[in-house]
């Protein structure tokens, strides 16, 4: 199973390249990924039918018991088959649905394929924590898919609404899963269900699970996000809202029902959620005019029906529920695909404007008719077989009388509504009918129909002319026809479905075994079916009266409106609280945090702590000198009024720390500290160019003493903790084994580097991810124009002449100009030799020939030194982090000597590429051992003998370290582009009297800057 998930991951990552190469036809290749999941499920069919449960376990994080455990039983087999099969057909459909010039297809294809992989992992996961990971992945991917049309407000709102609700439900579900795992003593899903724990905590966990299922499957009262999600492209609706995402909640209920369906809280919640959702969804579907919304509310109703069946706890209802899961996936996906085809052919989904479409699109109408018949429950379709089994199972219920009665009549009434809105759908989409006046029914006013592909629905728009409808492409029709025919074929062989699904139904604790049949004789279930059809047809026949009746009924507040009001009031409350607690002063915030740190632990140190009996002040006098330098610099920095002075003093304190590290025998830490302080100092100086020279125009002498007092208090508290903390240790520290393990398992003698890239590699992964996020955040805050992938190169610069051609950092008096030209008779003669290629872009008074010469000499030496640190860091001081900082400092020198164009010449690559490549390389190196049967981030030692180099000891963590090197280098380069080059550009525009982000021409933001100063 792991290889199936890896195939999805590879296809998702390769989707952008495939779409760039083949356009929308790339969706045909992407369809292979979910198709592989369906084929994988089919290969295990015989073993699953025989009651086998193929299980695969891969160790993930052995130290804390995390495993990649996959298990396939009947339920997982059915869900995986549907997720893979429907997903493949939907991707084929996408190849014809989208325009060849549609925007965002690269991202859409990758996200949809990744969603299919996450859904496949969810339904076969046998570890509850792994299940939660896949659950949340589907939440994130569905957010991106629903919000595909990001330029439309309704699309953004629907996506945000969906992710807020489903994330909240997912967190509630996580609480339930953790409680069950703790109470059961195992996190294996199959073991928890086989031997379920009990008790008050478990009852609360069951409620949490059902809350998660309710949010994911759009059950009342959290159903409103699904109709709003129709703002997504139709293929998303066909997949997520028919066969995938919304079925995740159904799957969760079906998975835990054999264990907890006999408890009162489970039964009460399942009946309330299932029956209420079925009735509310069916009732709302009767008053919709948008075909997609008819199906959306119909999906809500059907989900309630399925949850009621699989959660009721009887074998007959469970068998019917599993059959309905399969039938619903086929007929509802078909109908969504049909709606997309009708929308593409006519330009609208308003059933008031559609007429005669069936004659113009016969194959589409046929597929829609087959799927509608299955949704109604007409023989011999799969929907009929499942619904008959449901009625039969409910007629022979095993629970209390009120439970059986409520469940049965809820299904009967809900099925009547299903018949009515199903007929309404097909009649509105394909029949030839006159335009009718819409009843004043306020049909789902809160859903903005303009958010989706069709135009806005206006009651006075003309009816679509059937003669103008053109035939549809084969790939836009074939997927719907295939699914519709499969729904018919499945209904013709009900005995096969019973044989496949019965093993899981037998796991339920009560009830008689159910049966899937086409004809069971004249039974009460058949009589109820006839009653359902008669009343449903009657409701459809009297649809105008039904709509008027709904319009004049008392209208309860819309759940969507209530949600939006709640969120608005929550925002207002947050704003009020923020106005009180967030004063807008960073020193105030920092002072409060530091005071809490000093007072809290400080009081405990004074009152409840035993101090060491003996203290040794220092090992050598040099340590005292370094500490005194740190203290003096810190005190002066706290009292400083000038920003630059404070930055320099803080840098001195940082270099003093490096000296302390070196004197304590930690050259690796000292090297890293020096490099970090150097880069930090440069960054701070770059930032100070846009800040006032003083912290405040007022002296504020009192504030200096406050800062100094807080600093001293925090320093004393931290020093006390450093003295006391070692005395609190009761066990041998794990670090005592680091030297031996670093060499035996990590293959290196540099304990610090081996710890970063091997022993604590997970921490490093998190840290470089934070670095990437920080670089992105800084760039987003600083760039006021288009942040393109262009790199400023000297060949692209426009050399300006005249008063505006003073070069970068120019615009100020140049008293030394005449002195530089003394003795030069040829005006064409350059004023100095070219040491840096972009040096001529600087204003003459801003250039230093000494600095340029030194830069030319040192730059390549620094690069070589960085490579030495990178490759020797496993055994000597250095490593990827230090190497990246050294190269970053080299780029800083090039930038300071030659300006922003020199930075482009030195590093002609976009920093985002370095950041992404570094993170991808580190993560990829960590996943390779997993594919080879090892654990994540496991290292290997390879001994080689090369002709020139001799014996070479290669540790695979070197490639992880190279990823760290690229991330650090990308971070420094991004900071130089933002806080250096971009601030240069903004400052020059300000000097010319323009706003930093002001462009007279919209395209001027993409043009290179005018530079000058080449000759003087």
């Amino acid at each position: 199973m792991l290889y199936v998930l890896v195939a999805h991951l590879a296809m998702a990552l390769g989707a952008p390249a495939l779409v760039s190469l083949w356009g929308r036809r790339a969706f045909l290749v992407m369809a292979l990924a979910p198709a592989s999941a369906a084929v994988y499920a089919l290969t295990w069919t015989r073993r699953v039918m025989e009651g086998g449960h193929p299980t695969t376990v891969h160790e993930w994080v052995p130290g804390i018991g995390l495993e990649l455990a996959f298990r396939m039983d009947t339920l997982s087999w059915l869900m995986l088959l549907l997720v893979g099969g429907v997903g493949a057909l939907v991707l084929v459909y996408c190849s014809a649905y989208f325009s060849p010039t549609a925007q965002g297809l690269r991202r859409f294809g990758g996200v949809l394929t990744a969603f299919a992989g996450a859904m496949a992992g969810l339904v076969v996961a046998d570890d509850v924590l792994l299940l939660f990971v896949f659950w949340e992945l589907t939440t994130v991917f569905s957010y991106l898919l629903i919000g595909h049309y990001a330029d439309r407000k309704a699309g953004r709102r629907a996506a945000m609404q969906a992710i807020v609700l489903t994330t909240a439900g997912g967190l509630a579900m996580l609480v339930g899963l953790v409680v069950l795992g703790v109470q059961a003593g195992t996190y294996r899903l199959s073991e928890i269900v086989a031997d379920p724990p009990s008790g008050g905590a478990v009852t609360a966990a069951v409620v949490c699970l059902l809350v998660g299922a309710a949010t994911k499957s759009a059950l009342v009262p959290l159903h409103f996000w699904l109709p709003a999600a129709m703002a997504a492209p139709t293929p998303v609706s066909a997949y997520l809202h028919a066969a995938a995402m919304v079925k995740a909640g159904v799957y969760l209920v079906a998975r835990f029902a054999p264990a907890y369906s006999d408890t009162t809280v489970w039964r009460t919640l399942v009946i309330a959620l299932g029956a209420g959702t079925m009735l509310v969804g069916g009732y709302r579907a009767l008053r919709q005019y948008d075909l997609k919304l008819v199906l959306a509310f119909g999906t809500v109703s059907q989900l309630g029906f399925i949850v009621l069946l699989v959660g009721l706890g009887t074998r007959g209802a469970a068998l019917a529920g599993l059959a309905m899961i399969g039938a619903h996936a086929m007929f509802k996906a078909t109908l969504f695909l049909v709606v997309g085809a009708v929308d593409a052919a006519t330009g609208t989904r308003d059933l008031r404007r559609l007429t005669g479409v069936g004659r113009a699109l016969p194959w589409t109408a046929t597929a829609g008719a087959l799927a509608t018949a299955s949704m109604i429950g007409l023989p011999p379709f799969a929907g009929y077989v499942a619904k008959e089994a449901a009625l039969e199972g409910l007629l022979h219920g095993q629970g209390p009388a009120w439970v059986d009665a409520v469940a049965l009549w809820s299904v009967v009434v809900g099925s009547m509504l299903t018949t009515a809105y199903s007929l309404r759908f097909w009649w509105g989409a394909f029949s030839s009918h006159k335009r009718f006046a819409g009843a004043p029914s306020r049909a789902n006013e809160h859903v903005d129909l303009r958010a989706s592909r069709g135009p806005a629905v206006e009651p006075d728009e003309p009816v679509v002319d059937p003669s103008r409808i053109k035939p549809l492409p084969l790939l836009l029709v074939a997927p719907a026809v295939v699914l519709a025919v499969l729904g018919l074929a499945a209904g013709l062989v009900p005995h096969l479905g019973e044989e496949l699904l019965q093993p899981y139904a037998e796991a339920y604790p009560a009830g008689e075994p159910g049966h899937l049949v086409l004809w069971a004789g004249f039974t009460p279930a058949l009589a109820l079916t006839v009653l359902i059809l008669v009343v449903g047809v009657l409701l459809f026949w009297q649809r105008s009266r039904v709509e008027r009746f709904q319009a004049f009924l008392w209208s309860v507040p819309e759940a969507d409106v209530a949600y939006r009001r709640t969120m608005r009031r929550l925002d207002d409350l947050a704003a009020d609280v923020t106005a009180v607690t967030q004063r807008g002063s960073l020193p105030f915030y920092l002072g409060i945090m530091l005071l809490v740190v000093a007072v809290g632990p400080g009081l405990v140190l004074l009152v409840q702590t035993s101090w060491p009996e003996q203290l040794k002040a220092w090992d050598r006098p040099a340590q005292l000198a370094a500490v005194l330098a740190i203290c003096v610099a810190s005190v002066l920095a706290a009292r400083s009024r000038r920003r630059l002075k404070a930055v320099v003093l803080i840098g001195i304190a940082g270099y003093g720390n490096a000296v302390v590290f070196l004197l304590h025998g930690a050259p690796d830490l000292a090297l890293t500290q020096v490099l970090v302080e150097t880069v930090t100092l440069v960054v701070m100086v770059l930032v100070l160019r846009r800040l006032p020279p003083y912290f405040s125009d007022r002296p504020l002498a009192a504030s200096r003493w406050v800062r100094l007092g807080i600093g001293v208090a925090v320093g004393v508290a931290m020093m006390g903790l450093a003295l006391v903390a070692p005395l609190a240790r009761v066990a041998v520290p794990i670090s005592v084994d680091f030297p031996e393990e670093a060499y035996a398992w990590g293959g290196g003698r540099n304990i610090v580097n081996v710890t970063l890239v091997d022993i604590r590699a997970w921490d490093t992964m998190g840290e470089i991810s934070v670095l990437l996020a920080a670089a992105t955040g800084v760039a987003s805050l600083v760039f006021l124009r288009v942040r393109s992938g262009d790199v400023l190169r000297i060949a692209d610069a426009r050399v300006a002449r005249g008063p505006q051609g003073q070069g970068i950092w120019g615009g100020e008096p140049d008293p030394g100009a005449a002195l530089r030209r003394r003795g030069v008779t040829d005006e064409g003669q350059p004023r100095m030799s070219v040491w840096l290629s972009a040096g001529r872009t600087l204003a003459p008074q801003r250039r230093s020939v000494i600095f340029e010469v030194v830069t030319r000499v040192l730059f390549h030496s620094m690069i070589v030194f960085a490579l030495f640190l990178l490759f020797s860091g496993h055994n000597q001081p250095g490593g990827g982090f230090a190497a990246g900082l050294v190269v970053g400092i080299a780029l800083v020198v090039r930038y300071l000597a030659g300006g922003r164009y020199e930075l482009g010449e030195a590093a002609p690559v976009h920093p985002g590429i370095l950041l992404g490549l570094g993170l991808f390389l580190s993560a990829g190196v960590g996943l390779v051992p997993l594919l080879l049967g090892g654990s994540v981030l496991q290292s290997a030692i390879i001994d080689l003998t090369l002709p020139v180099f001799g014996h070479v000891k290669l540790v695979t963590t070197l490639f992880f370290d190279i990823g760290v090197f690229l991330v650090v280098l990308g971070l420094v380069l991004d900071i130089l582009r933002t806080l250096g080059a971009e601030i240069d550009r903004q400052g020059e525009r300000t000097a010319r009297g323009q706003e930093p982000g002001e462009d007279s021409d919209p395209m001027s933001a993409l043009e290179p800057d005018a530079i000058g100063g080449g000759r003087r």
Side-chain angles (χ1 to χ4, degrees):
M1 184 61 203
L2 183 62
Y3 294 105
V4 174
L5 298 179
V6 172
H8 281 82
L9 175 61
M11 192 67 74
L13 294 176
L18 294 175
V19 173
S20 299
L21 185 62
W22 293 322
R24 62 179 183 174
R25 291 176 297 175
F27 284 103
L28 298 174
V29 180
M30 295 179 215
L32 295 175
S36 67
V39 171
Y40 179 82
L42 290 174
T43 58
W44 292 102
T45 302
R46 173 55 56 186
R47 185 170 175 183
V48 171
M49 290 176 63
E50 295 173 351
H53 303 133
T55 303
T56 305
V57 180
H58 302 275
E59 288 190 348
W60 186 9
V61 187
I64 57 177
L66 284 181
E67 297 175 332
L68 299 177
F70 304 102
R71 181 176 181 269
M72 186 182 297
D73 59 2
T74 302
L75 178 61
S76 298
W77 173 87
L78 174 64
M79 293 296 298
L80 185 61
L81 184 62
L82 295 176
V83 168
V86 176
L89 290 173
V90 168
L91 282 167
V92 171
Y93 179 87
C94 289
S95 66
Y97 176 81
F98 289 105
S99 167
T101 59
Q103 299 295 319
L105 291 188
R106 290 186 291 270
R107 178 176 60 88
F108 179 85
V111 174
L112 187 57
T113 306
F115 175 87
M119 195 67 203
L122 188 153
V123 299
V124 297
D126 194 38
D127 184 279
V128 293
L129 299 180
L130 181 63
L131 182 146
F132 172 76
V133 171
F134 285 119
W135 183 284
E136 289 303 298
L137 285 176
T138 61
T139 296
V140 174
F141 293 141
S142 66
Y143 166 76
L144 297 175
L145 293 171
I146 294 172
H148 175 68
Y149 298 123
D151 56 332
R152 299 170 181 173
K153 180 180 179 180
R156 298 193 301 271
R157 175 187 292 174
M160 183 60 66
Q161 186 172 270
I163 196 172
V164 167
L165 290 173
T166 53
T167 300
L171 293 176
M173 183 195 72
L174 175 62
V175 173
L177 294 175
V178 171
V179 171
L180 288 179
V182 171
Q183 295 295 318
T186 178
Y187 286 96
R188 280 294 186 89
L189 185 56
S190 56
E191 296 177 4
I192 294 175
V193 174
D195 186 17
S198 59
V202 172
T203 300
V206 167
V207 174
C208 291
L209 293 179
L210 292 177
V211 170
T215 58
K216 202 75 163 181
S217 290
L219 302 181
V220 168
L222 305 173
H223 63 287
F224 52 88
W225 71 263
L226 195 150
M230 295 301 105
T234 298
V236 174
S237 302
Y239 192 35
L240 273 66
H241 307 141
M245 177 181 172
V246 294
K247 290 291 176 61
V250 174
Y251 169 80
L252 188 69
V253 173
R255 178 58 70 194
F256 284 96
Y260 295 105
S261 59
D262 57 345
T263 61
T264 302
V265 64
W266 176 283
R267 184 177 299 148
T268 303
L269 288 176
V270 163
I271 292 177
L273 294 172
T277 303
M278 186 176 188
L279 296 176
V280 170
Y283 176 83
R284 294 293 302 276
L286 290 178
R287 69 184 201 186
Q288 306 304 319
Y289 297 118
D290 182 275
L291 293 176
K292 214 172 176 184
L293 288 178
V294 174
L295 294 181
F297 281 102
T299 300
V300 170
S301 179
Q302 293 288 311
L303 290 172
F305 180 30
I306 298 173
V307 166
L308 180 62
L309 293 177
V310 299
L312 196 58
T314 63
R315 296 184 179 93
L319 178 63
L322 263 65
M324 183 55 71
I325 289 175
H328 178 264
M330 289 184 285
F331 66 67
K332 193 55 64 72
T334 298
L335 293 176
F336 273 116
L337 297 179
V338 163
V339 169
V342 171
D343 188 12
T346 64
T348 183
R349 300 192 307 264
D350 185 3
L351 56 82
R352 295 169 294 186
R353 297 183 56 209
L354 295 171
T355 182
V357 177
R359 293 195 303 270
L361 304 175
W363 283 104
T364 304
T366 301
L370 295 176
T372 302
S374 184
M375 184 164 63
I376 292 173
L378 296 178
F381 293 92
Y384 168 79
V385 173
K387 190 170 292 184
E388 285 293 297
L391 293 173
E392 191 68 35
L394 295 174
L395 284 168
H396 297 85
Q398 299 294 314
W402 71 269
V403 172
D404 296 337
V406 170
L408 175 62
W409 289 106
S410 297
V411 170
V412 170
V413 176
S415 298
M416 294 174 181
L417 299 175
T418 299
T419 301
Y421 69 69
S422 299
L423 294 172
R424 175 186 178 88
F425 169 84
W426 196 90
W427 167 82
F430 298 108
S431 69
S432 298
H433 54 267
K434 296 181 180 179
R435 179 186 179 88
F436 64 94
S441 60
R442 303 185 300 277
N444 210 55
E445 294 174 349
H446 66 278
V447 176
D448 185 357
L449 301 178
R450 292 171 295 180
S452 50
R453 183 166 174 160
V457 175
E458 299 292 344
D460 56 349
E461 290 185 1
V463 176
V464 173
D465 184 0
S467 63
R468 296 178 179 270
I469 300 176
K470 297 180 180 180
L472 295 172
L474 175 63
L475 293 180
L476 201 60
V477 180
V481 173
V482 170
L483 286 171
V485 171
L486 287 175
L488 174 61
L492 294 174
V493 287
H495 60 282
L496 179 60
E498 180 178 340
E499 186 179 358
L500 287 168
L501 305 179
Q502 191 68 260
Y504 189 78
E506 292 175 353
Y508 278 69
E512 300 176 1
H515 299 284
L516 300 179
V517 294
L518 268 176
W519 174 252
F522 294 98
T523 62
L526 181 61
L528 289 176
T529 299
V530 174
L531 176 64
I532 289 169
L533 295 176
V534 170
V535 175
V537 171
L538 181 63
L539 289 173
F540 168 70
W541 178 41
Q542 298 296 325
R543 55 191 173 274
S544 297
R545 294 183 179 179
V546 171
E547 291 178 19
R548 286 194 294 270
F549 173 75
Q550 289 182 318
F552 289 109
L553 281 179
W554 174 71
S555 180
V556 298
E558 296 279 359
D560 178 79
V561 175
Y563 164 82
R564 280 162 36 195
R565 287 176 180 172
T566 302
M567 297 302 293
R568 191 178 301 115
R569 290 173 182 173
L570 185 62
D571 288 341
D572 293 341
L573 177 61
D576 294 339
V577 173
T578 302
V580 175
T581 59
Q582 303 290 315
R583 304 287 300 277
S585 171
L586 294 179
F588 176 79
Y589 303 153
L590 185 59
I592 294 296
M593 289 186 287
L594 292 177
L595 277 176
V596 172
V597 171
V599 173
L603 291 177
V604 176
L605 287 174
L606 292 175
V607 176
Q608 298 182 352
T609 303
S610 60
W611 295 88
E613 297 178 357
Q614 295 181 350
L615 289 177
K616 187 176 182 180
W618 58 78
D619 294 322
R620 61 189 73 175
Q623 294 173 338
L624 175 62
V627 171
L628 288 176
I630 295 173
C631 294
V632 172
S634 300
V635 171
L636 293 177
R639 290 179 47 80
S640 175
R641 289 186 57 223
R642 295 182 64 92
R643 298 179 190 271
L644 181 59
K645 178 182 177 182
V647 168
V648 173
L649 289 171
I650 292 174
I652 293 174
Y655 288 122
N657 277 314
V659 173
V660 172
F661 291 150
L662 185 62
L663 294 175
H664 276 81
D668 211 330
L669 295 181
L671 173 64
T672 304
Q673 179 72 20
V674 168
L675 296 175
V676 169
E677 283 299 329
T678 302
V679 173
T680 303
L681 188 62
V682 172
V683 170
M684 293 300 297
V685 171
L686 293 177
V687 173
L688 291 182
R689 294 180 299 165
R690 302 289 288 178
L691 295 176
Y694 291 91
F695 288 108
S696 174
D697 294 334
R698 295 172 293 171
L700 298 178
S703 67
R704 302 187 197 179
W705 291 105
V706 171
R707 294 196 301 268
L708 181 59
I710 294 175
V712 171
V714 174
V716 171
M718 292 298 101
M719 183 175 63
L721 287 175
L723 292 174
V724 171
L727 300 179
R729 188 182 300 279
V730 295
V732 179
I734 192 174
S735 58
V736 299
D737 297 325
F738 274 22
E740 180 181 352
E741 292 184 352
Y743 185 75
W745 302 101
R749 301 183 184 277
N750 184 350
I751 303 174
V752 174
N753 182 261
V754 175
T755 300
L756 291 175
V757 301
D758 195 329
I759 300 175
R760 302 294 295 273
W762 276 110
D763 292 349
T764 306
M765 282 291 299
E767 291 163 2
I768 62 177
S769 301
V770 171
L771 287 178
L772 190 147
T776 303
V778 169
S780 301
L781 290 173
V782 173
F783 273 87
L784 299 179
R785 59 176 183 167
V786 178
R787 189 187 182 202
S788 67
D790 297 333
V791 178
L792 296 177
R793 303 294 298 275
I794 183 60
D796 302 325
R798 294 183 291 114
V799 180
R801 302 294 183 187
Q804 299 298 328
Q806 297 157 342
I808 297 174
W809 297 337
E812 298 180 358
D814 185 11
L819 179 62
R820 286 194 301 273
R821 301 303 304 177
R822 175 174 295 182
V824 178
T825 57
D826 181 8
E827 291 296 326
Q829 179 182 353
R831 64 178 183 272
M832 63 177 67
S833 301
V834 177
W835 291 97
L836 299 177
S837 56
R840 68 184 182 88
T841 64
L842 294 179
Q845 66 270 30
R846 293 289 186 174
R847 296 185 67 181
S848 168
V849 63
I850 297 177
F851 195 10
E852 292 184 15
V853 172
V854 172
T855 301
R856 179 71 175 266
V857 172
L858 289 182
F859 178 77
H860 299 90
S861 301
M862 296 179 70
I863 300 299
V864 173
F865 178 61
L867 293 176
F868 169 78
L869 292 177
L870 175 63
F871 288 101
S872 67
H874 217 58
N875 292 284
Q876 302 293 333
F881 192 84
L885 289 175
V886 170
V887 176
I889 293 173
L891 294 177
V892 168
V893 173
R894 286 285 291 267
Y895 164 72
L896 294 177
R900 60 179 177 270
Y901 283 97
E902 185 63 29
L903 179 64
E905 294 297 319
V909 61
H910 195 279
I913 296 177
L914 295 176
L915 289 166
L917 183 61
L919 187 61
F920 177 76
L921 180 60
S922 297
V925 170
L927 291 176
V928 169
L930 187 64
L931 300 177
L932 299 178
S935 59
V936 178
L937 295 174
Q938 180 178 342
S939 62
I941 302 174
I942 303 173
D943 289 314
L944 299 173
T945 302
L946 300 179
V948 177
F949 299 94
H951 179 261
V952 176
K953 183 180 181 180
L954 175 64
V955 184
T956 55
T957 50
L958 171 64
F959 301 102
F960 183 93
D961 217 10
I962 293 176
V964 175
F965 166 78
L966 293 175
V967 170
V968 174
L969 177 58
L971 173 65
V972 177
L973 182 59
D974 209 11
I975 290 176
L976 289 176
R977 288 184 72 243
T978 53
L979 302 180
E982 179 63 12
I983 289 183
D984 288 345
R985 189 193 70 88
Q986 294 177 16
E988 291 164 12
R989 295 181 67 84
T990 302
R992 294 197 298 266
Q994 294 178 292
E995 292 295 329
E998 175 187 352
D999 290 305
S1000 57
D1001 181 1
M1003 296 304 294
S1004 63
L1006 300 177
E1007 296 178 359
D1009 300 311
I1011 57 94
R1015 304 180 190 278
R1016 185 64 176 260

